[in-house]
Amino acid sequence: MTLNPPPSQHSPPNRRVLIVGNYCHDVLIQNGSVVAETLGGAASFISNVLDSSSVSCELVSKVGHDFRYEVTHSPIVVPEKATTVFEAYFDLGVDVIGHADRVLKRVSACDPILPSDIPDSRFDFGMAVGVGGEILPETLEKMVEICDVVAVDIQALIRVFDPVDGSVKLVDLRESGFFHILHRIGYLKASSDEAFFMDVEQMKQLCCVVVTNGEKGCRIYHKDDETMVPPFVAKQVDPTGAGDSFLGGLVVGLVEGLAVPDAALLGNFFGSITVEHIGQPKFDLMMLQRVKEEVQRRKKQRNLSISHNNDQEEFHARLTPARFSCVDSPVQTELLVNGLSCDR
């Protein structure tokens, strides 16, 4: 891959990341019963990965008067509004393009994040990761002005919501109102389902496109390059937040100076852990230390030998054992779709 993180010679070791997206309250429902209620929103999963990885970040998020969670990064409270709430139904049939999946409904929405809510300072990386329509085109424009590189989750751009029941629908990226800004971003992340709503061939000429595909790993598209990044084996319990944790891991890798495919492999690593949990995972400290050591080892390899840049097998093999040091989490009930595991 030719797209690399911005130069670091004038930046501190812990590079600053700006995360923009609202916290949410997620309600998981199966067979008519509430299975779990958890802190949600892409920003929460991403900040969990960055904080656990000791990457300095600032988060801009809005919540309502009813926000009930203790979080490391305090949100902006809008007293007259309720916190954004999503209900995820695991037994209602198919998603927006005909695949068995969760059916998401936005029950309530807090206020959007305005350009005036974004701090007037510079950041090395920006992450536009709204889930409920809270990212505005003018807010993304402010982000690209103050951040050296901006990574965008396509769900922040193409989600729309049924006015009657709040069901999540997707629109084509060209019709989203954001298309005119996208030549200024560095990375666009989409799931394999969401990728149907953009022209990958067109977008890869504008920025680095990363398409995740669950248990199949992910693919990176940039200019004339296409790279497949392998997955990590995981027993899926709940897919909520897996793509967010992937994006968090990707940015952690970029902050640490990894090449894009290696950073995406780190994203696959964190995503694979998240799918094994309901809600946010609590990452094992020994695992995190092992990951940090392997990231530093990989950086040294990359600096010493160009031949290591395209060989991910060793990096994957050395990261894999770290996953299985995460043994302190209780076994959780697997959510099913139409009686089947909701694997993607």
Side-chain angles (χ1 to χ4, degrees), residues 1-317:
M1 298 295 297
T2 57
L3 186 64
N4 290 311
S8 59
Q9 58 266 31
H10 301 301
S11 300
N14 263 351
R15 309 183 64 192
R16 294 202 305 159
V17 178
L18 173 66
I19 306 169
V20 179
N22 284 350
Y23 289 128
C24 302
H25 177 61
D26 285 349
V27 183
L28 280 58
I29 299 171
Q30 186 172 52
N31 298 324
S33 299
V34 174
V35 176
E37 298 186 45
T38 66
L39 172 65
S44 68
F45 285 92
I46 289 170
S47 61
N48 183 39
V49 173
L50 268 62
D51 289 339
S52 299
S53 303
S54 303
V55 171
S56 175
C57 63
E58 187 168 338
L59 190 151
V60 179
S61 178
K62 286 185 175 178
V63 300
H65 60 84
D66 55 346
F67 188 69
R68 66 179 70 178
Y69 301 98
E70 293 185 7
V71 291
T72 303
H73 303 277
S74 298
I76 301 168
V77 178
V78 184
E80 65 275 13
K81 284 294 187 76
T83 300
T84 300
V85 175
F86 277 92
E87 293 179 347
Y89 294 84
F90 287 84
D91 48 12
L92 290 186
V94 296
D95 67 2
V96 293
I97 58 172
H99 292 89
D101 198 359
R102 300 168 298 168
V103 172
L104 291 178
K105 296 185 178 183
R106 188 186 67 177
V107 178
S108 64
C110 197
D111 280 355
I113 298 171
L114 305 176
S116 58
D117 298 318
I118 306 297
D120 289 320
S121 55
R122 294 227 39 104
F123 294 86
D124 297 293
F125 286 88
M127 304 182 70
V129 291
V131 293
E134 67 268 28
I135 303 289
L136 305 175
E138 52 267 36
T139 305
L140 182 57
E141 288 180 334
K142 174 71 176 288
M143 292 181 67
V144 299
E145 290 171 1
I146 66 171
C147 301
D148 293 342
V149 179
V150 174
V152 178
D153 193 322
I154 197 173
Q155 68 181 357
L157 313 183
I158 66 171
R159 279 187 173 183
V160 294
F161 306 92
D162 187 282
V164 177
D165 68 358
S167 295
V168 176
K169 311 292 182 183
L170 303 180
V171 299
D172 190 275
L173 183 59
R174 287 167 294 192
E175 302 171 0
S176 66
F178 292 88
F179 194 78
H180 65 287
I181 314 170
L182 299 184
H183 68 284
R184 302 174 64 190
I185 70 171
Y187 299 87
L188 181 66
K189 173 260 174 187
S191 70
S192 56
D193 289 347
E194 292 165 337
F196 284 100
F197 294 85
M198 68 170 165
D199 185 340
V200 174
E201 293 298 314
Q202 179 183 29
M203 285 307 305
K204 73 178 185 178
Q205 301 302 322
L206 303 179
C207 65
C208 180
V209 177
V210 184
V211 178
T212 60
N213 195 14
E215 63 183 13
K216 297 180 181 179
C218 69
R219 287 188 178 273
I220 305 168
Y221 304 88
H222 187 236
K223 304 298 184 183
D224 296 326
D225 294 334
E226 179 179 341
T227 305
M228 188 275 177
V229 181
F232 291 86
V233 176
K235 179 177 174 55
Q236 182 161 288
V237 172
D238 175 19
T240 305
D244 308 322
S245 293
F246 166 86
L247 189 54
L250 172 73
V251 169
V252 167
L254 296 175
V255 166
E256 292 292 344
L258 293 179
V260 176
D262 290 339
L265 185 66
L266 196 61
N268 284 347
F269 179 88
F270 281 104
S272 71
I273 295 172
T274 301
V275 300
E276 296 183 333
H277 297 77
I278 294 177
Q280 289 187 18
K282 183 178 181 180
F283 299 116
D284 179 79
L285 293 178
M286 290 181 60
M287 180 207 77
L288 291 169
Q289 182 59 38
R290 177 74 177 271
V291 169
K292 290 177 183 178
E293 292 171 357
E294 295 304 331
V295 166
Q296 295 305 312
R297 180 189 184 96
R298 182 63 172 169
K299 283 174 59 180
K300 290 179 180 178
Q301 287 181 336
R302 179 173 177 262
N303 291 334
L304 291 174
S305 173
I306 296 176
S307 64
H308 281 89
N309 285 353
N310 297 320
D311 178 13
Q312 288 191 305
E313 291 183 6
E314 181 184 356
F315 190 36
H316 187 282

